[in-house]
Amino acid sequence: MPSKRCLSASDWVALGLTLLTKAGPEAVKLEAICAAAELTFGSFYHHVAEHGASMLALARAWHSEAPDAPVDELPPSDPETQAVALTKAAIAIN
């Protein structure tokens, strides 16, 4: 029987960052991340307390790779606009 791979919390964040840059915010929904990793929700939650914490870690990782990205310019009351702007900025990294 082949051994299953196990992703660490930082692996999940790195995968989320890759998916965000390639496919946008829909790709970082929990179901999409788990499907891309070919692992279960249980595997995700084994390393990450909650999806929101993962998204915060993803945002921090993204910001560390693109410190000049216009994160501070995003309107705080409009999540959809934020998601679009973050996606455009993430895509611009690559």
Side-chain angles (χ1 to χ4, degrees), residues 6 15 43 53 61 67 83 91 93:
C6 182
L15 175 60
S43 178
I91 290 169
I93 293 171

Side-chain angles (χ1 to χ4, degrees), residues 28-62:
V28 294
K29 290 184 176 181
L30 183 56
E31 186 172 344
I33 291 173
C34 289
E38 297 180 350
L39 293 170
T40 65
F41 288 6
S43 178
F44 177 85
Y45 284 119
H46 178 74
H47 295 287
V48 181
E50 62 179 350
H51 188 246
S54 172
M55 294 298 96
L56 180 58
L58 187 147
R60 287 182 176 147
W62 172 73

Side-chain angles (χ1 to χ4, degrees), residues 57-92:
L58 187 147
R60 287 182 176 147
W62 172 73
H63 188 60
S64 72
E65 289 188 24
D68 296 330
V71 174
D72 296 333
E73 298 172 18
L74 298 176
S77 62
D78 185 356
E80 187 171 334
T81 301
Q82 287 180 343
V84 170
L86 285 171
T87 299
K88 288 178 181 177
I91 290 169

